[in-house]
Amino acid sequence: MIRHRTIGIVIGALILLIAGCTDNAANDEKKAETYIEGHRYNVLSREGLLNQYVLTREKLYGSGLESAMNMQTWGVQLVPPDAYIGKEITEYGFTVNGHPLEATYRANIQLVVLMSEGKVIGGTSFPVNEGEEMRIGAPYSVEGRTLEEVTGLSYKEWVANWNSRYGPPAEPKDQNLREDEIVTVELLCHQGLPNPGCVDWQSVEPEPINAFIEAVKSAERMAGQLNYMAQYDLNLIYRNQTTKRYHIALGTDRTMNGLLVDLENTSQGYSIPAEQANKLRALVAGPK
């Protein structure tokens, strides 16, 4: 009898747990519906729980379908995803009318409401596919605004900012700079492009060498694909006569950052802070 009673208690606990989860889901769906009604849209049907996942940084970038959908979904939210990384996200679907997109697509609209920890985050809208017509594309915001309208950026600008913020960590500019072994630093005027007033420069003194090392170490990764003009070829020459090579542009404007490009990856640029860039400008220009 004791054994049967124990089994009964376990089964009862499971039933209560399932009932509790069901109640939570029902409560969340009701909150999502209330959110939609607050926008004065008419709910025609409920599609229930569409998706459930734990948000990770890996879900916010990449070339896969899931990451692309997550990028587009979170791109039209008024809140960034940062606060929800590591938390469970649920998505509830509804078909509505009275939505601004109806006039454009002449169709009912599917609204997907995003929730986390029982609270509404936001959502997306997209015309319902009806008949033989198949619509594909990026979702709109709940109000029917495009990503460009929500962010104020072009799509290209938004992608660059997004990848800079949520993409994989940048590879180090140099995994083993071997600072103590650098014996010469030289700047050679970059060939092939107009470069008026450029003069080659070289030093074997510790202070100038350290200034260039600090500039390389302080340079910060720039977002997006790089399109640039090199002013100098920068060579850090080691005691064993091997060379670490960069492109560098300093210009003369002391308010501007410098540009550094590791020749092992010329599609990625790094910004040298103006303070460090000015030290290099002073060295190259020489005493006045």
Side-chain angles (χ1 to χ4, degrees):
M1 290 296 295
I2 294 177
R3 181 182 177 190
H4 291 168
R5 184 168 179 270
T6 302
I7 293 173
I9 291 172
V10 171
I11 293 174
L14 288 173
I15 291 172
L16 289 173
L17 178 61
I18 293 169
C21 291
T22 303
D23 288 344
N24 288 339
N27 289 336
D28 282 357
E29 186 175 28
K30 183 59 180 176
K31 290 178 183 177
E33 185 171 351
T34 301
Y35 171 75
I36 292 173
E37 292 171 344
H39 284 77
R40 301 187 182 278
Y41 307 144
N42 302 312
V43 175
L44 301 178
S45 64
R46 303 167 187 81
E47 300 166 23
L49 181 63
L50 300 181
N51 195 12
Q52 189 172 13
Y53 61 93
V54 174
L55 183 63
T56 63
R57 296 189 72 88
E58 290 74 18
K59 291 182 182 292
L60 294 173
Y61 68 86
S63 58
L65 178 60
E66 181 186 18
S67 58
M69 291 177 63
N70 286 332
M71 287 173 63
Q72 293 169 352
T73 293
W74 284 94
V76 294
Q77 305 311 311
L78 297 179
V79 294
D82 304 63
Y84 300 97
I85 291 176
K87 296 183 179 180
E88 184 176 79
I89 308 298
T90 53
E91 299 178 355
Y92 291 91
F94 302 84
T95 300
V96 307
N97 63 15
H99 191 277
L101 290 179
E102 278 184 82
T104 301
Y105 291 99
R106 300 184 182 279
N108 293 326
I109 305 301
Q110 183 195 52
L111 279 186
V112 177
V113 178
L114 277 65
M115 300 190 67
S116 180
E117 298 180 335
K119 296 180 181 179
V120 174
I121 298 169
T124 63
S125 60
F126 199 77
V128 173
N129 289 312
E130 296 178 337
E132 296 181 358
E133 186 173 8
M134 183 68 179
R135 297 186 178 95
I136 57 174
Y140 298 84
S141 71
V142 167
E143 299 82 9
R145 295 192 296 161
T146 64
L147 183 145
E148 289 82 358
E149 291 171 332
V150 171
T151 64
L153 302 172
S154 70
Y155 181 74
K156 183 177 180 180
E157 291 170 332
W158 174 79
V159 168
N161 287 347
W162 184 274
N163 288 340
S164 174
R165 188 166 186 173
Y166 302 111
E171 291 295 325
K173 292 182 289 297
D174 192 296
Q175 296 183 12
N176 184 15
L177 198 56
R178 305 188 339 259
E179 302 168 30
D180 295 340
E181 299 178 34
I182 297 173
V183 294
T184 304
V185 59
E186 66 178 8
L187 295 177
L188 304 178
C189 296
H190 190 68
Q191 302 298 312
L193 294 172
N195 207 352
C198 184
V199 178
D200 292 349
W201 179 92
Q202 183 184 84
S203 179
V204 295
E205 297 299 323
E207 187 173 346
I209 291 174
N210 288 334
F212 276 90
I213 290 173
E214 288 305 311
V216 170
K217 290 168 61 177
S218 67
E220 299 177 353
R221 182 177 185 260
M222 299 167 62
Q225 291 293 308
L226 189 64
N227 183 15
Y228 73 99
M229 294 177 61
Q231 183 183 8
Y232 295 101
D233 297 328
L234 167 62
N235 297 325
L236 301 180
I237 303 172
Y238 293 92
R239 191 172 288 109
N240 63 2
Q241 296 304 299
T242 59
T243 303
K244 179 62 182 175
R245 303 180 188 279
Y246 300 89
H247 283 160
I248 191 170
L250 299 172
T252 56
D253 188 341
R254 294 181 61 82
T255 66
M256 297 293 290
N257 292 348
L259 171 70
L260 181 75
V261 179
D262 190 328
L263 293 192
E264 294 181 9
N265 180 11
T266 56
S267 65
Q268 178 60 63
Y270 296 85
S271 177
I272 302 173
E275 180 182 358
Q276 295 292 337
N278 285 333
K279 293 180 180 180
L280 305 188
R281 291 175 181 127
L283 285 171
V284 176
K288 302 206 176 188

